[in-house]
Amino acid sequence: MEIWLIRHTTPNIDKGICYGQLNLDVADSFNDEVEHIKRLLSNNSFDKVFTSPLLRCTALAKRLFPSEDIHFEEQIKEINFGDWEGQKWDEINKQQLNVWSHDFLQQSPPNGENFSALLERALNFNNTLANSNLDKAAIVTHSGIIRAFLMEYLEIPATKIFNLELSYGAIIKITIHSSDYKQVQFIKG
């Protein structure tokens, strides 16, 4: 089985703003970014296309796969930052931010979710994929979900997963040859 993880393009938001499940539109660079991703995906067809229901992902999925039946999947939404959504990072309560950043697996932003909750959602979705009859799936999603998949397939500890840079429009191909042999290829990091 092949799993193609595609990160959304640049969102329409100022730098330094906290966003996870904030439903952002795409930036003005969207058309150029889409064309670049299309070139990298050319000569590929997929059994099924999944997308996060957030606008920045659905817009990309619809442009990349206009003739496909796209499946909207709640489990592959970005982390929910709760009360921090839409705030400038440097204006978030420093004590709350420090507590969260030192234990993001267990600590949640106020009215948000911790990274363990995102991991659980992502791994549940991954298990559904693994138990399907699909040969090749495209998943248009977010960096948090992509990191969860990479943690699983590369056995990277959560404390190190944010050392990986994932640019907007990143494409990662995971090939599952057997339960013991999996390969990860960064098409565009």
Side-chain angles (χ1 to χ4, degrees):
M1 175 181 204
E2 289 180 8
I3 301 170
W4 290 65
L5 301 166
I6 305 162
R7 186 179 182 200
H8 62 79
T9 58
T10 307
N12 186 20
I13 193 167
D14 292 335
K15 291 187 185 299
I17 304 291
C18 175
Y19 68 93
Q21 292 189 10
L22 195 61
N23 203 11
L24 302 169
D25 203 349
V26 295
D28 292 339
S29 58
F30 181 68
N31 290 330
D32 291 336
E33 291 179 75
V34 168
E35 290 308 312
H36 181 67
I37 295 167
K38 277 184 176 180
R39 283 192 299 277
L40 295 171
L41 293 176
S42 65
N43 302 321
N44 281 290
S45 61
F46 298 92
D47 300 323
K48 206 165 195 179
V49 176
F50 299 93
T51 186
S52 160
L54 297 177
L55 179 59
R56 58 192 183 267
C57 290
T58 61
L60 180 58
K62 289 175 182 177
R63 282 287 300 278
L64 292 176
F65 309 105
S67 60
E68 300 292 328
D69 184 20
I70 298 170
H71 301 270
F72 299 87
E73 182 55 59
E74 291 286 327
Q75 290 185 97
I76 58 174
K77 287 169 81 171
E78 185 58 280
I79 194 167
N80 180 352
F81 282 111
D83 294 348
W84 296 352
E85 297 273 355
Q87 290 190 45
K88 292 182 179 179
W89 280 104
D90 60 7
E91 292 178 0
I92 293 172
N93 178 291
K94 300 292 183 247
Q95 182 180 0
Q96 290 177 350
L97 192 58
N98 285 336
V99 167
W100 173 77
S101 65
H102 285 96
D103 188 13
F104 60 88
L105 280 171
Q106 302 306 319
Q107 297 296 321
S108 304
N111 298 307
E113 68 180 337
N114 59 34
F115 197 68
S116 291
L118 177 141
L119 288 173
E120 184 177 340
R121 286 192 283 113
L123 295 180
N124 284 340
F125 179 73
N126 185 41
N127 288 337
T128 300
L129 281 179
N131 292 321
S132 73
N133 293 324
L134 300 176
D135 288 323
K136 199 170 187 180
I139 303 168
V140 181
T141 190
H142 309 272
S143 71
I145 297 296
I146 293 171
R147 290 174 198 284
F149 272 75
L150 293 174
M151 285 174 60
E152 175 75 7
Y153 288 105
L154 294 176
E155 299 179 8
I156 298 172
T159 56
K160 301 294 183 192
I161 195 62
F162 290 97
N163 292 345
L164 286 175
E165 183 177 329
L166 294 172
S167 61
Y168 296 117
I171 303 170
I172 293 95
K173 175 184 162 188
I174 299 170
T175 305
I176 303 166
H177 300 281
S178 70
S179 60
D180 295 328
Y181 180 44
K182 303 156 188 123
Q183 290 179 302
V184 175
Q185 181 181 2
F186 286 75
I187 309 290
K188 175 185 183 280

